[in-house]
Amino acid sequence: MTPDEYCQQKAARSGSSFYYAFLFLPPERRRAITALYAFCREVDDIVDEVGEASVARMKLAWWRDQVGLMFDGTPDHPVAIALAGHVHTFGLRPEPFYAIIEGMEMDLDQFRYADWPTLKEYCWRAAGVVGDLSARIFGHTDPRTLEYAETLGLAFQMTNIIRDVGDDARRGRIYLPADDMAHHGVTVDDILDGRHTENFQALMRQQTERARGLYRDALRALPEVDRRAQRPGLMMAAIYAALLDEIERDGWHVLDQRIALTPIRKFWLAWKTWVGGGQGLMHRLAK
């Protein structure tokens, strides 16, 4: 199996919404973004699957070394090898890769977040910098496009947090800001015990509006000159925004289930956005 084949298999097996956007890219950009996604999966899986925190830290430290070798040496892992062939082509920098690893390390040390500014810092490391790297791979001419991409990454991460409240709680993590929980009268025990109350729904409505605000801010920041090149990100935004709508329609029943879109719906949303350039998404989020 070649490094590119390894990355392709990693992305396809995940069933992620991101995979559907990759299908529409020309070959070199598709290989680069698939390798980036595989990198994110590798380091994220360490935190989710390694039970001993000290072992997880050692594995993340090893990946930090691999990032260094990607830019100045010979990496060992197939994902790092695949990425090394693209970092200079697309002007990628090592700092965002290190920030992604730092975000994963936060998951080993921090299980609660006091407020939105604190959570936003985590979201930036976990997803905002991924947006920056992705935008560079998709292609851009205006530096404001990187601001759009980072904000879009925050929106994706907030959508993930809303979707995964129950799953995360079962791992001992609660990403919902503590001050928002207190404002709505929702306790840690309410989350851990899976109590779906009116107060919990009000809390989730607030988080959903925060996520939608991030989508709107991102789309407003995207310069028209780069809209065509950034269509893969818009495709992902269409899928994630539809997922957010689905969660709301279901009444935020996320404590005991994981709400998801079907593969055919993801593909349809991706194709429609590719053809329409994301205009429909802009109109829907503007309401």
Side-chain angles (χ1 to χ4, degrees), residues 43-44 46-47 53 56-64 97-111 113 122 125-126 173:
V43 295
D44 189 60
I46 290 171
V47 175
R57 287 191 180 89
M58 288 174 58
K59 288 178 175 288
L60 290 173
W62 184 86
W63 269 105
R64 187 176 280 105
F97 289 97
Y98 292 132
I100 293 168
I101 293 173
E102 289 166 5
M104 299 305 102
E105 288 172 333
M106 288 178 72
D107 275 334
L108 298 174
D109 300 318
Q110 190 165 349
F111 305 101
Y113 290 84
Y122 166 77
R125 285 190 169 92
R173 301 180 196 138

mmCIF file of all heavy atoms in Angstrom, residues 43-44 46-47 53 56-64 97-111 113 122 125-126 173:
data_model
loop_
_atom_site.group_PDB
_atom_site.id
_atom_site.type_symbol
_atom_site.label_atom_id
_atom_site.label_comp_id
_atom_site.label_asym_id
_atom_site.label_seq_id
_atom_site.Cartn_x
_atom_site.Cartn_y
_atom_site.Cartn_z
ATOM 1 N N VAL A 43 -4.003 11.660 14.802
ATOM 2 C CA VAL A 43 -3.738 12.245 16.119
ATOM 3 C C VAL A 43 -4.997 12.269 16.981
ATOM 4 O O VAL A 43 -4.931 12.122 18.208
ATOM 5 C CB VAL A 43 -3.108 13.654 15.995
ATOM 6 C CG1 VAL A 43 -1.735 13.569 15.344
ATOM 7 C CG2 VAL A 43 -4.002 14.615 15.224
ATOM 8 N N ASP A 44 -6.164 12.435 16.362
ATOM 9 C CA ASP A 44 -7.423 12.418 17.111
ATOM 10 C C ASP A 44 -7.697 11.029 17.667
ATOM 11 O O ASP A 44 -8.164 10.876 18.799
ATOM 12 C CB ASP A 44 -8.570 12.885 16.217
ATOM 13 C CG ASP A 44 -9.855 13.098 17.003
ATOM 14 O OD1 ASP A 44 -9.856 13.939 17.921
ATOM 15 O OD2 ASP A 44 -10.857 12.416 16.710
ATOM 16 N N ILE A 46 -5.604 8.887 18.647
ATOM 17 C CA ILE A 46 -4.745 8.625 19.799
ATOM 18 C C ILE A 46 -5.469 9.005 21.084
ATOM 19 O O ILE A 46 -5.509 8.248 22.060
ATOM 20 C CB ILE A 46 -3.414 9.401 19.674
ATOM 21 C CG1 ILE A 46 -2.554 8.809 18.561
ATOM 22 C CG2 ILE A 46 -2.651 9.391 21.006
ATOM 23 C CD1 ILE A 46 -1.330 9.638 18.231
ATOM 24 N N VAL A 47 -6.079 10.195 21.078
ATOM 25 C CA VAL A 47 -6.761 10.682 22.280
ATOM 26 C C VAL A 47 -7.996 9.842 22.587
ATOM 27 O O VAL A 47 -8.293 9.546 23.755
ATOM 28 C CB VAL A 47 -7.133 12.166 22.104
ATOM 29 C CG1 VAL A 47 -7.948 12.660 23.291
ATOM 30 C CG2 VAL A 47 -5.875 13.006 21.955
ATOM 31 N N ALA A 53 -3.164 8.104 29.600
ATOM 32 C CA ALA A 53 -2.813 9.454 29.147
ATOM 33 C C ALA A 53 -1.329 9.594 28.864
ATOM 34 O O ALA A 53 -0.925 10.269 27.914
ATOM 35 C CB ALA A 53 -3.259 10.480 30.186
ATOM 36 N N ALA A 56 -0.606 8.194 25.513
ATOM 37 C CA ALA A 56 -1.130 9.095 24.480
ATOM 38 C C ALA A 56 -0.188 10.279 24.279
ATOM 39 O O ALA A 56 0.062 10.697 23.137
ATOM 40 C CB ALA A 56 -2.523 9.579 24.860
ATOM 41 N N ARG A 57 0.354 10.818 25.372
ATOM 42 C CA ARG A 57 1.286 11.939 25.252
ATOM 43 C C ARG A 57 2.549 11.533 24.504
ATOM 44 O O ARG A 57 3.091 12.304 23.704
ATOM 45 C CB ARG A 57 1.648 12.482 26.641
ATOM 46 C CG ARG A 57 0.530 13.265 27.298
ATOM 47 C CD ARG A 57 0.997 14.001 28.545
ATOM 48 N NE ARG A 57 -0.102 14.737 29.141
ATOM 49 C CZ ARG A 57 -0.939 14.229 30.048
ATOM 50 N NH1 ARG A 57 -0.773 12.987 30.461
ATOM 51 N NH2 ARG A 57 -1.920 14.954 30.524
ATOM 52 N N MET A 58 3.024 10.331 24.760
ATOM 53 C CA MET A 58 4.216 9.843 24.057
ATOM 54 C C MET A 58 3.944 9.705 22.564
ATOM 55 O O MET A 58 4.777 10.064 21.727
ATOM 56 C CB MET A 58 4.645 8.490 24.635
ATOM 57 C CG MET A 58 5.254 8.569 26.024
ATOM 58 S SD MET A 58 5.590 6.929 26.733
ATOM 59 C CE MET A 58 6.677 6.266 25.480
ATOM 60 N N LYS A 59 2.768 9.206 22.219
ATOM 61 C CA LYS A 59 2.410 9.049 20.805
ATOM 62 C C LYS A 59 2.282 10.410 20.120
ATOM 63 O O LYS A 59 2.706 10.590 18.976
ATOM 64 C CB LYS A 59 1.102 8.256 20.677
ATOM 65 C CG LYS A 59 1.251 6.769 20.995
ATOM 66 C CD LYS A 59 -0.082 6.057 20.884
ATOM 67 C CE LYS A 59 0.070 4.555 21.080
ATOM 68 N NZ LYS A 59 0.730 3.896 19.942
ATOM 69 N N LEU A 60 1.679 11.376 20.820
ATOM 70 C CA LEU A 60 1.556 12.715 20.245
ATOM 71 C C LEU A 60 2.928 13.367 20.102
ATOM 72 O O LEU A 60 3.169 14.100 19.130
ATOM 73 C CB LEU A 60 0.631 13.585 21.106
ATOM 74 C CG LEU A 60 -0.851 13.192 21.077
ATOM 75 C CD1 LEU A 60 -1.645 14.000 22.097
ATOM 76 C CD2 LEU A 60 -1.448 13.391 19.680
ATOM 77 N N ALA A 61 3.823 13.128 21.044
ATOM 78 C CA ALA A 61 5.190 13.646 20.932
ATOM 79 C C ALA A 61 5.882 13.039 19.710
ATOM 80 O O ALA A 61 6.643 13.723 19.005
ATOM 81 C CB ALA A 61 5.980 13.337 22.207
ATOM 82 N N TRP A 62 5.636 11.763 19.455
ATOM 83 C CA TRP A 62 6.199 11.114 18.269
ATOM 84 C C TRP A 62 5.678 11.781 17.004
ATOM 85 O O TRP A 62 6.433 12.022 16.058
ATOM 86 C CB TRP A 62 5.839 9.629 18.278
ATOM 87 C CG TRP A 62 6.452 8.850 17.155
ATOM 88 C CD1 TRP A 62 7.693 8.283 17.129
ATOM 89 C CD2 TRP A 62 5.846 8.562 15.880
ATOM 90 N NE1 TRP A 62 7.894 7.650 15.906
ATOM 91 C CE2 TRP A 62 6.785 7.801 15.134
ATOM 92 C CE3 TRP A 62 4.613 8.856 15.307
ATOM 93 C CZ2 TRP A 62 6.520 7.346 13.838
ATOM 94 C CZ3 TRP A 62 4.336 8.399 14.020
ATOM 95 C CH2 TRP A 62 5.285 7.665 13.305
ATOM 96 N N TRP A 63 4.395 12.130 16.995
ATOM 97 C CA TRP A 63 3.828 12.810 15.826
ATOM 98 C C TRP A 63 4.403 14.216 15.665
ATOM 99 O O TRP A 63 4.559 14.708 14.551
ATOM 100 C CB TRP A 63 2.303 12.854 15.919
ATOM 101 C CG TRP A 63 1.676 11.661 15.267
ATOM 102 C CD1 TRP A 63 1.116 10.583 15.868
ATOM 103 C CD2 TRP A 63 1.590 11.424 13.860
ATOM 104 N NE1 TRP A 63 0.679 9.686 14.924
ATOM 105 C CE2 TRP A 63 0.960 10.173 13.688
ATOM 106 C CE3 TRP A 63 1.980 12.143 12.732
ATOM 107 C CZ2 TRP A 63 0.703 9.635 12.423
ATOM 108 C CZ3 TRP A 63 1.731 11.600 11.476
ATOM 109 C CH2 TRP A 63 1.109 10.364 11.333
ATOM 110 N N ARG A 64 4.733 14.856 16.798
ATOM 111 C CA ARG A 64 5.377 16.167 16.701
ATOM 112 C C ARG A 64 6.720 16.037 15.989
ATOM 113 O O ARG A 64 7.083 16.878 15.159
ATOM 114 C CB ARG A 64 5.540 16.764 18.101
ATOM 115 C CG ARG A 64 6.046 18.200 18.102
ATOM 116 C CD ARG A 64 6.099 18.791 19.490
ATOM 117 N NE ARG A 64 4.784 19.254 19.933
ATOM 118 C CZ ARG A 64 4.022 18.624 20.829
ATOM 119 N NH1 ARG A 64 4.444 17.511 21.399
ATOM 120 N NH2 ARG A 64 2.858 19.118 21.182
ATOM 121 N N PHE A 97 0.276 22.449 12.099
ATOM 122 C CA PHE A 97 0.302 21.030 12.457
ATOM 123 C C PHE A 97 0.615 20.855 13.942
ATOM 124 O O PHE A 97 0.011 20.017 14.619
ATOM 125 C CB PHE A 97 1.340 20.291 11.606
ATOM 126 C CG PHE A 97 0.955 20.144 10.162
ATOM 127 C CD1 PHE A 97 1.433 21.033 9.207
ATOM 128 C CD2 PHE A 97 0.109 19.124 9.755
ATOM 129 C CE1 PHE A 97 1.085 20.902 7.871
ATOM 130 C CE2 PHE A 97 -0.249 18.982 8.423
ATOM 131 C CZ PHE A 97 0.241 19.868 7.475
ATOM 132 N N TYR A 98 1.555 21.658 14.448
ATOM 133 C CA TYR A 98 1.855 21.603 15.878
ATOM 134 C C TYR A 98 0.633 22.041 16.699
ATOM 135 O O TYR A 98 0.365 21.477 17.774
ATOM 136 C CB TYR A 98 3.047 22.498 16.212
ATOM 137 C CG TYR A 98 4.366 22.012 15.658
ATOM 138 C CD1 TYR A 98 5.223 22.876 14.978
ATOM 139 C CD2 TYR A 98 4.770 20.679 15.816
ATOM 140 C CE1 TYR A 98 6.444 22.435 14.470
ATOM 141 C CE2 TYR A 98 5.979 20.238 15.310
ATOM 142 C CZ TYR A 98 6.810 21.112 14.623
ATOM 143 O OH TYR A 98 8.015 20.671 14.120
ATOM 144 N N ALA A 99 -0.089 23.045 16.206
ATOM 145 C CA ALA A 99 -1.273 23.523 16.925
ATOM 146 C C ALA A 99 -2.344 22.434 16.996
ATOM 147 O O ALA A 99 -3.041 22.297 18.018
ATOM 148 C CB ALA A 99 -1.846 24.772 16.246
ATOM 149 N N ILE A 100 -2.501 21.663 15.931
ATOM 150 C CA ILE A 100 -3.464 20.552 15.947
ATOM 151 C C ILE A 100 -3.090 19.558 17.041
ATOM 152 O O ILE A 100 -3.952 19.096 17.818
ATOM 153 C CB ILE A 100 -3.511 19.853 14.573
ATOM 154 C CG1 ILE A 100 -4.096 20.797 13.514
ATOM 155 C CG2 ILE A 100 -4.360 18.577 14.645
ATOM 156 C CD1 ILE A 100 -3.919 20.300 12.077
ATOM 157 N N ILE A 101 -1.810 19.229 17.134
ATOM 158 C CA ILE A 101 -1.352 18.298 18.172
ATOM 159 C C ILE A 101 -1.583 18.890 19.559
ATOM 160 O O ILE A 101 -1.998 18.190 20.496
ATOM 161 C CB ILE A 101 0.136 17.950 17.954
ATOM 162 C CG1 ILE A 101 0.294 17.153 16.659
ATOM 163 C CG2 ILE A 101 0.692 17.158 19.143
ATOM 164 C CD1 ILE A 101 1.732 16.905 16.247
ATOM 165 N N GLU A 102 -1.358 20.203 19.708
ATOM 166 C CA GLU A 102 -1.614 20.862 20.997
ATOM 167 C C GLU A 102 -3.098 20.773 21.369
ATOM 168 O O GLU A 102 -3.443 20.611 22.545
ATOM 169 C CB GLU A 102 -1.184 22.324 20.930
ATOM 170 C CG GLU A 102 0.327 22.512 20.893
ATOM 171 C CD GLU A 102 0.729 23.923 20.487
ATOM 172 O OE1 GLU A 102 -0.182 24.772 20.326
ATOM 173 O OE2 GLU A 102 1.932 24.174 20.318
ATOM 174 N N GLY A 103 -3.968 20.876 20.363
ATOM 175 C CA GLY A 103 -5.397 20.720 20.625
ATOM 176 C C GLY A 103 -5.725 19.332 21.143
ATOM 177 O O GLY A 103 -6.539 19.174 22.065
ATOM 178 N N MET A 104 -5.084 18.321 20.572
ATOM 179 C CA MET A 104 -5.294 16.958 21.054
ATOM 180 C C MET A 104 -4.767 16.796 22.476
ATOM 181 O O MET A 104 -5.376 16.107 23.309
ATOM 182 C CB MET A 104 -4.601 15.956 20.129
ATOM 183 C CG MET A 104 -5.095 15.947 18.686
ATOM 184 S SD MET A 104 -6.893 15.699 18.513
ATOM 185 C CE MET A 104 -7.441 17.394 18.186
ATOM 186 N N GLU A 105 -3.641 17.438 22.792
ATOM 187 C CA GLU A 105 -3.093 17.380 24.150
ATOM 188 C C GLU A 105 -4.028 18.047 25.150
ATOM 189 O O GLU A 105 -4.114 17.609 26.312
ATOM 190 C CB GLU A 105 -1.717 18.039 24.177
ATOM 191 C CG GLU A 105 -0.643 17.205 23.479
ATOM 192 C CD GLU A 105 0.679 17.928 23.340
ATOM 193 O OE1 GLU A 105 0.679 19.174 23.296
ATOM 194 O OE2 GLU A 105 1.711 17.240 23.268
ATOM 195 N N MET A 106 -4.741 19.076 24.721
ATOM 196 C CA MET A 106 -5.725 19.709 25.603
ATOM 197 C C MET A 106 -6.787 18.711 26.034
ATOM 198 O O MET A 106 -7.281 18.752 27.166
ATOM 199 C CB MET A 106 -6.367 20.912 24.902
ATOM 200 C CG MET A 106 -5.460 22.116 24.756
ATOM 201 S SD MET A 106 -6.247 23.495 23.869
ATOM 202 C CE MET A 106 -7.436 24.051 25.113
ATOM 203 N N ASP A 107 -7.143 17.781 25.134
ATOM 204 C CA ASP A 107 -8.145 16.780 25.476
ATOM 205 C C ASP A 107 -7.657 15.815 26.552
ATOM 206 O O ASP A 107 -8.472 15.144 27.196
ATOM 207 C CB ASP A 107 -8.546 15.986 24.227
ATOM 208 C CG ASP A 107 -9.633 16.686 23.418
ATOM 209 O OD1 ASP A 107 -10.402 17.459 24.009
ATOM 210 O OD2 ASP A 107 -9.702 16.461 22.197
ATOM 211 N N LEU A 108 -6.361 15.728 26.732
ATOM 212 C CA LEU A 108 -5.817 14.864 27.784
ATOM 213 C C LEU A 108 -5.793 15.558 29.138
ATOM 214 O O LEU A 108 -5.748 14.883 30.178
ATOM 215 C CB LEU A 108 -4.389 14.429 27.421
ATOM 216 C CG LEU A 108 -4.229 13.605 26.142
ATOM 217 C CD1 LEU A 108 -2.748 13.379 25.854
ATOM 218 C CD2 LEU A 108 -4.972 12.283 26.243
ATOM 219 N N ASP A 109 -5.816 16.881 29.135
ATOM 220 C CA ASP A 109 -5.643 17.645 30.372
ATOM 221 C C ASP A 109 -6.885 18.409 30.805
ATOM 222 O O ASP A 109 -7.035 18.713 31.991
ATOM 223 C CB ASP A 109 -4.492 18.649 30.204
ATOM 224 C CG ASP A 109 -3.170 17.976 29.890
ATOM 225 O OD1 ASP A 109 -2.885 16.938 30.516
ATOM 226 O OD2 ASP A 109 -2.444 18.465 29.010
ATOM 227 N N GLN A 110 -7.746 18.739 29.853
ATOM 228 C CA GLN A 110 -8.858 19.631 30.166
ATOM 229 C C GLN A 110 -10.176 18.970 29.768
ATOM 230 O O GLN A 110 -10.350 18.574 28.619
ATOM 231 C CB GLN A 110 -8.691 20.972 29.420
ATOM 232 C CG GLN A 110 -9.665 22.035 29.864
ATOM 233 C CD GLN A 110 -9.251 23.422 29.383
ATOM 234 O OE1 GLN A 110 -8.145 23.612 28.898
ATOM 235 N NE2 GLN A 110 -10.137 24.390 29.545
ATOM 236 N N PHE A 111 -11.097 18.865 30.726
ATOM 237 C CA PHE A 111 -12.369 18.174 30.483
ATOM 238 C C PHE A 111 -13.571 19.104 30.611
ATOM 239 O O PHE A 111 -14.708 18.693 30.370
ATOM 240 C CB PHE A 111 -12.522 17.001 31.465
ATOM 241 C CG PHE A 111 -11.355 16.048 31.412
ATOM 242 C CD1 PHE A 111 -10.364 16.099 32.377
ATOM 243 C CD2 PHE A 111 -11.226 15.134 30.388
ATOM 244 C CE1 PHE A 111 -9.277 15.233 32.336
ATOM 245 C CE2 PHE A 111 -10.156 14.256 30.331
ATOM 246 C CZ PHE A 111 -9.176 14.310 31.308
ATOM 247 N N TYR A 113 -14.788 23.557 30.147
ATOM 248 C CA TYR A 113 -14.412 24.867 29.614
ATOM 249 C C TYR A 113 -15.278 25.929 30.275
ATOM 250 O O TYR A 113 -16.510 25.821 30.279
ATOM 251 C CB TYR A 113 -14.554 24.881 28.092
ATOM 252 C CG TYR A 113 -13.501 24.016 27.435
ATOM 253 C CD1 TYR A 113 -13.693 22.639 27.289
ATOM 254 C CD2 TYR A 113 -12.284 24.553 27.037
ATOM 255 C CE1 TYR A 113 -12.708 21.836 26.741
ATOM 256 C CE2 TYR A 113 -11.290 23.750 26.490
ATOM 257 C CZ TYR A 113 -11.510 22.398 26.343
ATOM 258 O OH TYR A 113 -10.530 21.598 25.818
ATOM 259 N N TYR A 122 -9.688 26.318 22.165
ATOM 260 C CA TYR A 122 -9.593 24.892 21.855
ATOM 261 C C TYR A 122 -10.069 24.616 20.424
ATOM 262 O O TYR A 122 -9.417 23.871 19.679
ATOM 263 C CB TYR A 122 -10.419 24.075 22.847
ATOM 264 C CG TYR A 122 -10.631 22.651 22.388
ATOM 265 C CD1 TYR A 122 -9.618 21.704 22.501
ATOM 266 C CD2 TYR A 122 -11.849 22.258 21.819
ATOM 267 C CE1 TYR A 122 -9.798 20.408 22.055
ATOM 268 C CE2 TYR A 122 -12.043 20.960 21.375
ATOM 269 C CZ TYR A 122 -11.015 20.038 21.490
ATOM 270 O OH TYR A 122 -11.196 18.759 21.034
ATOM 271 N N ARG A 125 -7.487 25.428 17.810
ATOM 272 C CA ARG A 125 -6.429 24.432 17.672
ATOM 273 C C ARG A 125 -6.948 23.154 17.006
ATOM 274 O O ARG A 125 -6.253 22.537 16.199
ATOM 275 C CB ARG A 125 -5.834 24.096 19.042
ATOM 276 C CG ARG A 125 -4.927 25.174 19.606
ATOM 277 C CD ARG A 125 -4.188 24.675 20.838
ATOM 278 N NE ARG A 125 -3.123 25.603 21.220
ATOM 279 C CZ ARG A 125 -3.271 26.593 22.074
ATOM 280 N NH1 ARG A 125 -4.450 26.800 22.641
ATOM 281 N NH2 ARG A 125 -2.258 27.398 22.370
ATOM 282 N N ALA A 126 -8.161 22.755 17.356
ATOM 283 C CA ALA A 126 -8.697 21.499 16.848
ATOM 284 C C ALA A 126 -9.185 21.613 15.411
ATOM 285 O O ALA A 126 -9.149 20.623 14.671
ATOM 286 C CB ALA A 126 -9.845 21.027 17.745
ATOM 287 N N ARG A 173 -15.833 14.096 29.102
ATOM 288 C CA ARG A 173 -15.576 15.451 28.616
ATOM 289 C C ARG A 173 -16.880 16.196 28.375
ATOM 290 O O ARG A 173 -17.805 15.658 27.775
ATOM 291 C CB ARG A 173 -14.778 15.411 27.311
ATOM 292 C CG ARG A 173 -13.444 14.716 27.414
ATOM 293 C CD ARG A 173 -12.732 14.736 26.081
ATOM 294 N NE ARG A 173 -11.645 13.766 26.051
ATOM 295 C CZ ARG A 173 -11.355 12.981 25.029
ATOM 296 N NH1 ARG A 173 -12.077 13.071 23.920
ATOM 297 N NH2 ARG A 173 -10.373 12.129 25.091
#
